Amino acid sequence: MTTASASTATAKIPVSVITGFLGAGKTTLVRHVLGHAKGKRLALIINEFGDIGVDKSVLAACGEETCREEDMIELSNGCICCTVAEDFIPTMTELLARPDRPDHIIIETSGLALPQPLIRAFNWPEIKSGVTIDGVVTVVDAAALAEGRFAADEAAVDAQRRGDAMLDHATPLGELFADQLVAADLLVINKTDLVADDALAGVEAELRQQMRPGTGIVRAANGHVDVAALLGLGLATEDNLTGRDSAHELEHGGEGHEHDDFDSFSLRLPEVDKDRLLAVIEATLGTHDILRLKGFAAIPASPMRLAIQAVGPRLNAYFDRPWAAGEARETALVVIGESPLDREAISASLLEAGRLATAT
């Protein structure tokens, strides 16, 4: 082995942690990065909340060389910040042991994840010598913020949406949002195309009051950010933890947290009519307190799979890729919301879109 190759083999692999609240656009951002890697070999760790691997299947549809199946690892046994020892550390150890180690690792966290436990995990002896955090990137939804959701100022929340529990900064949602902001090295304000310039300026001003001094800000639409602005930051975040304490850690002295305030379940249906399915989903979103709904659908006579993403009342659907040979043509949805979700009523509503369907 030459000196140059030996140096490459022993150098720490940079890791980008992509976090952000439910539906902010993390998967869209990551897919954009995969499609513009410029020859850089990437490994991707996806922390899915729910038992259907929707995000991985969407990313795999990009058709780029950097989207190889073997370079994608899905952690679906729970929130990554709760399963550091059981899932994350062994996964990283396996990546480091590969003879064809990646040039860069991207971790897309669950929308429910506290970034702080994950950042601290990079100091575990098993992996500290092999990887370093290139930067923590938090993605936020400009459209939601402009509508007054997830604001940290309790008085402003009360004035804007009096009585809306989602806007109370003391709720789990507000705490998660604040924790993801304070953990960020770079803040990506996404969906700026949906917000007027004056409202966007207000959103940015409010975010600057909440995030740590020195945190960078990038505006984006559809997750399109210059890859040079996301990768190669070289910040070694695990060695710079000052000011990143989460609200939970400050209150409980760093004890582990739980996600009892959130609930999720999955639903499977056969092939369904597209218009009927989307109408039923829209009606269900309007009737029940659902934070996020995502999945994919099989449409009769269509060779393409329909991807479905909903955040609050906003629903987006598009054909993302052809069905693979031998792949089961079925519709699969994940529903996420604050606990307790009325699973029976939500399932009954969604099942109106198809027959002989079963919930799990």
Side-chain angles (χ1 to χ4, degrees):
M1 180 179 290
T2 66
T3 302
S5 60
S7 174
T8 300
T10 58
K12 287 189 176 184
I13 301 174
V15 180
S16 295
V17 177
I18 312 294
T19 187
F21 212 78
L22 292 169
K26 299 186 300 296
T27 298
T28 303
L29 176 70
V30 171
R31 185 170 179 176
H32 175 73
V33 172
L34 293 177
H36 298 79
K38 298 179 180 179
K40 188 185 295 290
R41 183 174 176 205
L42 306 177
L44 175 62
I45 298 175
I46 310 164
N47 182 211
E48 179 79 350
F49 191 85
D51 60 359
I52 298 176
V54 173
D55 286 346
K56 182 175 179 179
S57 61
V58 169
L59 289 166
C62 73
E64 299 288 342
E65 184 180 350
T66 49
C67 294
R68 299 188 320 168
E69 184 75 15
E70 59 266 36
D71 290 331
M72 294 186 186
I73 302 168
E74 188 171 28
L75 303 182
S76 56
N77 294 329
C79 180
I80 194 170
C81 54
C82 299
T83 59
V84 165
E86 296 86 352
D87 283 341
F88 175 67
I89 297 298
T91 295
M92 294 299 289
T93 301
E94 290 178 10
L95 274 177
L96 292 172
R98 287 185 179 182
D100 54 346
R101 302 194 334 162
D103 300 316
H104 199 108
I105 299 171
I106 296 175
I107 300 175
E108 181 194 348
T109 74
S110 159
L112 304 180
L114 289 171
Q116 291 81 354
L118 177 60
I119 294 171
R120 287 174 170 77
F122 280 79
N123 286 312
W124 282 43
E126 293 93 328
I127 64 172
K128 185 171 178 59
S129 63
V131 290
T132 181
I133 299 179
D134 186 58
V136 177
V137 178
T138 296
V139 186
V140 299
D141 183 339
L145 292 173
E147 294 169 359
R149 288 199 287 273
F150 313 131
D153 186 330
E154 187 174 5
V157 168
D158 184 62
Q160 293 173 8
R161 296 286 180 86
R162 193 180 303 274
D164 188 340
M166 285 186 65
L167 299 180
D168 184 350
H169 78 290
T171 66
L173 300 184
E175 181 177 310
L176 279 169
F177 183 72
D179 289 348
Q180 291 169 353
L181 282 183
V182 78
D185 296 304
L186 179 67
L187 191 66
V188 175
I189 304 179
N190 196 29
K191 305 184 184 179
T192 56
D193 55 318
L194 304 179
V195 183
D197 290 343
D198 57 344
L200 183 57
V203 166
E204 186 171 316
E206 178 65 23
L207 289 170
R208 288 187 183 277
Q209 293 181 16
Q210 301 175 61
M211 62 193 194
R212 290 181 306 108
T215 303
I217 288 183
V218 175
R219 294 182 177 184
N222 299 312
H224 288 188
V225 177
D226 189 338
V227 173
L230 296 174
L231 308 184
L233 300 179
L235 297 177
T237 304
E238 71 277 10
D239 295 329
N240 299 282
L241 301 176
T242 303
R244 300 179 196 263
D245 291 329
S246 70
H248 181 92
E249 289 171 321
L250 292 173
E251 182 178 355
H252 300 287
E255 296 178 4
H257 71 286
E258 298 187 12
H259 290 309
D260 293 338
D261 295 298
F262 298 93
D263 192 8
S264 75
F265 67 95
S266 64
L267 189 73
R268 295 182 183 274
L269 297 82
E271 293 189 347
V272 290
D273 177 78
K274 177 186 174 183
D275 292 339
R276 177 172 175 79
L277 174 64
L278 296 182
V280 166
I281 290 176
E282 284 187 338
T284 305
L285 294 172
T287 304
H288 299 279
D289 190 14
I290 297 172
L291 296 179
R292 181 86 188 274
L293 185 148
K294 57 183 178 177
F296 48 84
I299 308 301
S302 174
M304 302 289 288
R305 190 183 71 166
L306 183 71
I308 300 167
Q309 298 279 351
V311 182
R314 297 194 299 275
L315 175 62
N316 185 31
Y318 57 93
F319 290 102
D320 67 336
R321 66 168 174 84
W323 289 98
E327 183 178 8
R329 290 177 59 95
E330 65 175 357
T331 299
L333 303 173
V334 174
V335 179
I336 302 173
E338 289 190 276
S339 182
L341 280 173
D342 190 342
R343 297 191 180 198
E344 183 175 350
I346 294 172
S347 296
S349 179
L350 292 173
L351 290 173
E352 288 295 319
R355 297 179 179 179
L356 304 177
T358 57
T360 59

Coordinates of all heavy atoms in Angstrom, one line a residue, residues 37-86:
A37 N -23.5 14.3 -6.5 CA -22.4 13.9 -5.7 C -21.0 14.2 -6.4 O -20.0 14.1 -5.8 CB -22.4 12.5 -5.3
K38 N -21.1 14.3 -7.7 CA -19.9 14.6 -8.5 C -18.8 13.6 -8.3 O -17.6 13.9 -8.1 CB -19.3 16.0 -8.2 CG -20.4 17.1 -8.5 CD -19.8 18.5 -8.2 CE -20.9 19.6 -8.6 NZ -20.4 21.0 -8.2
G39 N -19.1 12.3 -8.3 CA -18.2 11.3 -8.2 C -17.8 10.8 -6.8 O -17.2 9.8 -6.6
K40 N -18.3 11.6 -5.8 CA -18.0 11.2 -4.4 C -18.9 10.0 -4.0 O -20.1 10.0 -4.2 CB -18.3 12.4 -3.5 CG -17.9 12.2 -2.1 CD -18.3 13.4 -1.2 CE -17.6 14.7 -1.6 NZ -16.2 14.7 -1.2
R41 N -18.3 9.0 -3.5 CA -19.0 7.8 -3.1 C -19.7 8.1 -1.7 O -19.0 8.3 -0.7 CB -18.2 6.6 -3.0 CG -19.0 5.4 -2.7 CD -18.2 4.1 -2.8 NE -19.0 3.0 -2.3 CZ -18.6 1.9 -1.9 NH1 -17.3 1.7 -1.7 NH2 -19.4 0.9 -1.5
L42 N -21.0 8.0 -1.6 CA -21.7 8.3 -0.4 C -22.4 7.0 0.1 O -22.8 6.2 -0.6 CB -22.8 9.3 -0.7 CG -22.4 10.6 -1.4 CD1 -23.6 11.5 -1.6 CD2 -21.4 11.4 -0.5
A43 N -22.4 7.0 1.5 CA -23.2 6.0 2.2 C -24.3 6.7 2.9 O -24.1 7.8 3.4 CB -22.4 5.2 3.2
L44 N -25.5 6.1 2.9 CA -26.7 6.8 3.5 C -27.3 5.9 4.6 O -27.6 4.7 4.4 CB -27.7 7.0 2.4 CG -29.0 7.6 2.8 CD1 -28.9 9.0 3.4 CD2 -30.0 7.7 1.6
I45 N -27.5 6.5 5.7 CA -28.1 5.9 6.9 C -29.5 6.6 7.1 O -29.5 7.8 7.3 CB -27.3 5.9 8.1 CG1 -26.0 5.1 8.0 CG2 -28.1 5.3 9.3 CD1 -25.1 5.2 9.1
I46 N -30.6 5.9 6.9 CA -31.9 6.4 7.0 C -32.6 5.9 8.3 O -32.6 4.7 8.5 CB -32.8 6.1 5.8 CG1 -32.0 6.3 4.5 CG2 -34.1 6.8 5.9 CD1 -32.7 5.7 3.3
N47 N -33.0 6.8 9.1 CA -33.7 6.4 10.4 C -35.2 6.6 10.1 O -35.7 7.7 10.3 CB -33.2 7.3 11.5 CG -33.9 6.9 12.9 OD1 -34.1 7.7 13.7 ND2 -34.2 5.7 13.0
E48 N -35.9 5.6 9.8 CA -37.3 5.6 9.5 C -38.2 5.5 10.7 O -37.9 4.7 11.6 CB -37.7 4.5 8.5 CG -39.1 4.5 8.1 CD -39.5 5.5 7.0 OE1 -38.6 6.3 6.8 OE2 -40.6 5.4 6.5
F49 N -39.2 6.4 10.9 CA -40.2 6.3 12.0 C -41.4 5.6 11.4 O -42.1 6.2 10.6 CB -40.5 7.6 12.5 CG -41.3 7.6 13.8 CD1 -40.6 7.4 15.0 CD2 -42.6 7.6 13.8 CE1 -41.3 7.4 16.2 CE2 -43.4 7.6 15.0 CZ -42.7 7.4 16.2
G50 N -41.7 4.4 11.9 CA -42.8 3.7 11.3 C -42.2 2.4 10.6 O -41.0 2.3 10.4
D51 N -43.0 1.4 10.3 CA -42.4 0.1 9.9 C -42.5 -0.1 8.4 O -42.3 -1.2 8.0 CB -43.2 -1.0 10.7 CG -44.7 -1.0 10.4 OD1 -45.1 -0.1 9.6 OD2 -45.3 -1.9 10.9
I52 N -42.7 0.9 7.6 CA -42.6 0.8 6.2 C -41.5 1.6 5.7 O -41.5 2.8 6.0 CB -43.9 1.2 5.5 CG1 -45.1 0.3 5.9 CG2 -43.8 1.1 4.0 CD1 -46.4 0.7 5.4
G53 N -40.5 1.1 4.9 CA -39.4 1.8 4.5 C -39.6 2.7 3.4 O -39.1 2.6 2.3
V54 N -40.5 3.7 3.6 CA -40.8 4.6 2.5 C -39.7 5.5 2.0 O -39.4 5.6 0.9 CB -42.0 5.6 3.0 CG1 -42.3 6.6 1.9 CG2 -43.2 4.7 3.3
D55 N -38.9 6.1 3.0 CA -37.9 7.0 2.6 C -36.8 6.3 1.8 O -36.3 6.8 0.8 CB -37.3 7.7 3.8 CG -38.2 8.7 4.5 OD1 -39.1 9.1 3.8 OD2 -37.9 9.1 5.6
K56 N -36.4 5.1 2.2 CA -35.4 4.4 1.5 C -35.8 4.1 0.0 O -35.1 4.2 -0.9 CB -35.0 3.1 2.2 CG -33.9 2.3 1.5 CD -33.5 1.1 2.3 CE -32.4 0.3 1.6 NZ -32.0 -0.9 2.4
S57 N -37.1 3.7 -0.1 CA -37.5 3.3 -1.4 C -37.6 4.5 -2.3 O -37.4 4.5 -3.5 CB -38.9 2.6 -1.3 OG -39.9 3.4 -0.7
V58 N -38.0 5.7 -1.8 CA -38.0 6.9 -2.6 C -36.6 7.3 -3.0 O -36.4 7.7 -4.2 CB -38.7 8.1 -1.7 CG1 -38.5 9.4 -2.4 CG2 -40.2 7.8 -1.5
L59 N -35.7 7.2 -2.1 CA -34.3 7.6 -2.4 C -33.7 6.6 -3.5 O -33.0 7.1 -4.4 CB -33.4 7.6 -1.2 CG -33.7 8.7 -0.2 CD1 -33.1 8.5 1.1 CD2 -33.3 10.1 -0.8
A60 N -34.1 5.4 -3.4 CA -33.5 4.4 -4.3 C -34.0 4.6 -5.7 O -33.5 4.1 -6.7 CB -33.9 3.0 -3.8
A61 N -35.1 5.4 -5.9 CA -35.7 5.6 -7.2 C -34.9 6.7 -8.0 O -35.3 7.0 -9.1 CB -37.1 6.1 -7.0
C62 N -33.9 7.3 -7.4 CA -33.2 8.4 -8.1 C -32.4 8.0 -9.3 O -32.1 8.8 -10.2 CB -32.3 9.2 -7.1 SG -30.8 8.3 -6.7
G63 N -32.1 6.7 -9.4 CA -31.4 6.2 -10.6 C -30.0 6.6 -10.7 O -29.4 6.5 -11.8
E64 N -29.4 7.2 -9.7 CA -28.0 7.6 -9.8 C -27.0 6.5 -9.3 O -27.4 5.7 -8.5 CB -27.8 8.9 -9.0 CG -28.6 10.1 -9.4 CD -28.2 10.7 -10.7 OE1 -27.0 10.4 -11.1 OE2 -29.0 11.4 -11.4
E65 N -25.8 6.6 -9.7 CA -24.8 5.6 -9.3 C -24.6 5.7 -7.8 O -24.3 4.7 -7.1 CB -23.5 5.9 -10.0 CG -22.4 4.9 -9.6 CD -21.1 5.2 -10.4 OE1 -21.1 6.0 -11.3 OE2 -20.1 4.5 -10.1
T66 N -24.8 6.9 -7.2 CA -24.6 7.1 -5.7 C -25.8 6.5 -4.9 O -25.7 6.6 -3.7 CB -24.4 8.6 -5.4 OG1 -25.5 9.3 -6.1 CG2 -23.1 9.1 -5.9
C67 N -26.8 6.0 -5.6 CA -27.9 5.4 -4.9 C -27.9 3.9 -4.8 O -28.9 3.3 -4.7 CB -29.2 5.9 -5.6 SG -29.6 7.6 -5.5
R68 N -26.7 3.3 -4.8 CA -26.6 1.9 -4.8 C -27.2 1.3 -3.5 O -27.1 1.9 -2.4 CB -25.1 1.5 -4.8 CG -24.4 1.9 -6.1 CD -23.0 1.3 -6.1 NE -22.3 1.3 -4.8 CZ -21.2 0.6 -4.5 NH1 -20.7 -0.2 -5.5 NH2 -20.7 0.6 -3.3
E69 N -27.9 0.2 -3.7 CA -28.6 -0.4 -2.6 C -27.7 -0.7 -1.4 O -28.0 -0.5 -0.3 CB -29.3 -1.7 -3.1 CG -30.2 -2.4 -2.1 CD -31.5 -1.7 -1.8 OE1 -31.9 -0.8 -2.6 OE2 -32.1 -2.0 -0.8
E70 N -26.5 -1.2 -1.7 CA -25.6 -1.6 -0.7 C -25.0 -0.5 0.1 O -24.5 -0.7 1.2 CB -24.4 -2.5 -1.2 CG -23.6 -1.8 -2.3 CD -24.0 -2.0 -3.7 OE1 -25.2 -2.2 -3.9 OE2 -23.2 -2.1 -4.6
D71 N -25.2 0.7 -0.4 CA -24.7 1.9 0.3 C -25.8 2.6 1.1 O -25.6 3.7 1.7 CB -24.1 2.9 -0.6 CG -22.8 2.4 -1.2 OD1 -22.1 1.6 -0.5 OD2 -22.4 2.8 -2.4
M72 N -27.0 2.0 1.1 CA -28.1 2.5 1.9 C -28.4 1.6 3.1 O -28.6 0.4 2.9 CB -29.3 2.7 1.0 CG -29.2 3.7 0.0 SD -30.8 3.9 -0.9 CE -30.2 5.0 -2.2
I73 N -28.5 2.1 4.3 CA -28.8 1.4 5.5 C -29.9 2.0 6.2 O -29.9 3.2 6.5 CB -27.5 1.3 6.4 CG1 -26.3 0.7 5.7 CG2 -27.8 0.5 7.7 CD1 -25.0 0.9 6.4
E74 N -30.9 1.2 6.5 CA -32.1 1.7 7.1 C -32.2 1.3 8.6 O -32.1 0.1 8.8 CB -33.4 1.3 6.4 CG -34.6 2.0 6.8 CD -35.8 1.6 5.9 OE1 -35.8 0.6 5.3 OE2 -36.8 2.5 5.9
L75 N -32.3 2.2 9.5 CA -32.5 1.9 10.9 C -34.0 2.1 11.2 O -34.4 3.2 11.4 CB -31.6 2.8 11.8 CG -30.1 2.8 11.5 CD1 -29.4 3.6 12.4 CD2 -29.6 1.3 11.5
S76 N -34.7 1.0 11.4 CA -36.2 1.1 11.5 C -36.6 0.6 12.9 O -37.8 0.4 13.1 CB -36.9 0.4 10.4 OG -36.5 -1.0 10.4
N77 N -35.7 0.4 13.8 CA -36.1 -0.2 15.1 C -36.4 0.9 16.2 O -36.6 0.6 17.3 CB -35.0 -1.1 15.7 CG -34.7 -2.3 14.9 OD1 -35.7 -2.8 14.3 ND2 -33.5 -2.7 14.8
G78 N -36.6 2.1 15.7 CA -36.9 3.2 16.6 C -36.1 4.4 16.3 O -35.2 4.4 15.5
C79 N -36.4 5.5 17.0 CA -35.7 6.7 16.8 C -34.2 6.6 17.1 O -33.8 6.0 18.1 CB -36.2 7.8 17.8 SG -35.5 9.4 17.6
I80 N -33.3 7.1 16.2 CA -31.9 6.9 16.2 C -31.3 7.3 17.5 O -30.3 6.8 18.0 CB -31.2 7.5 15.0 CG1 -29.8 7.0 14.9 CG2 -31.3 9.0 15.1 CD1 -29.1 7.4 13.6
C81 N -31.9 8.4 18.1 CA -31.3 8.9 19.4 C -31.6 8.0 20.6 O -31.0 8.1 21.6 CB -31.8 10.3 19.6 SG -33.5 10.6 19.6
C82 N -32.6 7.1 20.4 CA -32.9 6.1 21.5 C -32.2 4.8 21.3 O -32.2 4.0 22.2 CB -34.4 5.9 21.5 SG -35.4 7.4 21.8
T83 N -31.6 4.5 20.1 CA -31.1 3.2 19.8 C -29.6 3.4 19.4 O -29.1 2.6 18.5 CB -31.8 2.5 18.7 OG1 -31.8 3.4 17.5 CG2 -33.3 2.3 19.1
V84 N -28.9 4.3 20.0 CA -27.5 4.5 19.6 C -26.7 3.3 19.8 O -25.9 2.8 18.9 CB -26.9 5.7 20.4 CG1 -25.4 5.7 20.4 CG2 -27.4 7.0 20.0
A85 N -26.8 2.7 21.0 CA -25.9 1.5 21.3 C -26.4 0.3 20.5 O -25.5 -0.5 20.0 CB -26.0 1.2 22.8
E86 N -27.7 0.1 20.3 CA -28.2 -1.1 19.7 C -28.1 -1.1 18.2 O -27.8 -2.1 17.5 CB -29.7 -1.3 20.1 CG -29.9 -1.6 21.6 CD -30.0 -0.3 22.3 OE1 -29.8 0.8 21.7 OE2 -30.4 -0.3 23.5

